[in-house]
Amino acid sequence: MRAAPDAPLACTLPTAALSERLAWIRQVTEQHLISHHLSERALRLTYQHDAKAQLERIVAGEQDCCSFLEFNLEGGPATVVLTIRAPEGLERDARWLFDQFLPRAVPSRRCGCAPGACG
């Protein structure tokens, strides 16, 4: 699924639709993501196989609004792998572009107190 050659380097979704899409992607990520690998211009995400239909719909939608990105979805018997590539020259922005697909950091519960002293 190649990027469109003259696609604008911006999301074309209206603000309300963008918020909804990002929330949906975040939900699929939180529920089904197994692992990820981020490189300079690419993000490789491995999901549980039961997320395949949702990922197909996400990729179709993302290709419409962010056609400057390249998406590749491969399904196996136990997992589905989604690879997203940014165009050359966007290495510095790739992390920002991929952010909604990445898991959120879980805040550490360690506060430096003595064991059992924190709630």
Side-chain angles (χ1 to χ4, degrees):
M1 300 179 205
R2 298 299 257 174
D6 294 323
L9 296 177
C11 180
T12 60
L13 279 178
T15 303
L18 177 61
S19 295
E20 188 176 310
R21 172 82 53 84
L22 294 177
W24 179 35
I25 292 170
R26 176 70 50 213
Q27 179 182 9
V28 171
T29 296
E30 290 173 358
Q31 293 177 350
H32 301 284
L33 185 68
I34 296 170
S35 65
H36 70 280
H37 176 75
L38 179 63
S39 63
E40 282 189 3
R41 291 183 25 234
L43 175 61
R44 180 182 165 94
L45 304 144
T46 303
Y47 294 89
Q48 298 164 351
H49 191 268
D50 59 345
K52 184 177 182 190
Q54 292 180 75
L55 292 168
E56 288 171 342
R57 289 193 310 271
I58 287 171
V59 167
E62 289 296 292
Q63 287 178 312
D64 285 341
C65 67
C66 297
S67 59
F68 62 95
L69 295 173
E70 179 183 328
F71 297 86
N72 185 37
L73 188 62
E74 299 176 37
T79 62
V80 179
V81 176
L82 172 59
T83 304
I84 308 169
R85 293 189 202 299
E88 273 189 58
L90 290 184
E91 292 81 4
R92 291 180 42 199
D93 297 317
R95 173 66 165 83
W96 177 82
L97 291 168
F98 301 147
D99 190 56
Q100 70 268 12
F101 288 94
L102 293 168
R104 292 185 190 238
V106 177
S108 174
R109 299 194 97 173
R110 302 170 115 183
C111 66
C113 299
C118 294

